[in-house]
Coordinates of all heavy atoms in Angstrom, one line a residue:
L16 N 111.6 116.4 94.1 CA 112.1 115.4 93.2 C 112.4 116.1 92.0 O 113.6 115.8 91.3 CB 111.0 114.4 93.0 CG 111.4 113.3 92.0 CD1 112.6 112.5 92.4 CD2 110.2 112.3 91.7
Q56 N 139.3 111.4 84.0 CA 138.3 110.4 83.5 C 137.3 110.0 84.5 O 136.2 109.8 84.3 CB 139.1 109.1 83.1 CG 139.8 109.2 81.8 CD 140.7 108.1 81.4 OE1 140.6 107.0 82.1 NE2 141.4 108.1 80.4
W58 N 136.5 111.9 87.1 CA 135.4 113.0 87.3 C 134.4 113.0 86.2 O 133.3 113.3 86.5 CB 136.2 114.3 87.4 CG 136.8 114.5 88.8 CD1 138.1 114.4 89.1 CD2 136.1 114.9 89.9 NE1 138.3 114.5 90.5 CE2 137.0 115.1 91.1 CE3 134.8 115.3 90.1 CZ2 136.7 115.5 92.2 CZ3 134.4 115.7 91.4 CH2 135.4 115.8 92.5
L61 N 131.8 110.5 87.0 CA 130.9 110.9 88.0 C 129.9 111.9 87.4 O 128.8 111.8 87.8 CB 131.8 111.6 89.1 CG 130.9 112.3 90.2 CD1 130.2 111.2 91.0 CD2 131.8 113.1 91.1
G69 N 119.9 112.3 87.4 CA 118.9 113.3 87.2 C 117.8 113.0 86.1 O 116.7 113.3 86.3
P89 N 88.2 108.9 95.8 CA 87.2 108.3 96.5 C 85.9 109.1 96.6 O 85.9 110.3 96.8 CB 87.8 108.1 97.9 CG 88.8 109.3 98.0 CD 89.3 109.5 96.6
D105 N 63.0 94.2 123.1 CA 62.5 93.3 124.0 C 63.2 93.4 125.3 O 64.4 93.3 125.3 CB 62.3 91.9 123.4 CG 61.4 91.8 122.3 OD1 60.5 92.5 122.3 OD2 61.6 90.9 121.5
P107 N 63.7 91.9 129.4 CA 63.4 90.8 130.1 C 62.2 91.1 131.0 O 62.1 92.2 131.5 CB 64.7 90.4 130.8 CG 65.6 91.6 130.5 CD 65.1 92.4 129.5

Side-chain angles (χ1 to χ4, degrees):
L16 176 64
Q56 288 177 0
W58 279 101
L61 176 68
D105 293 333

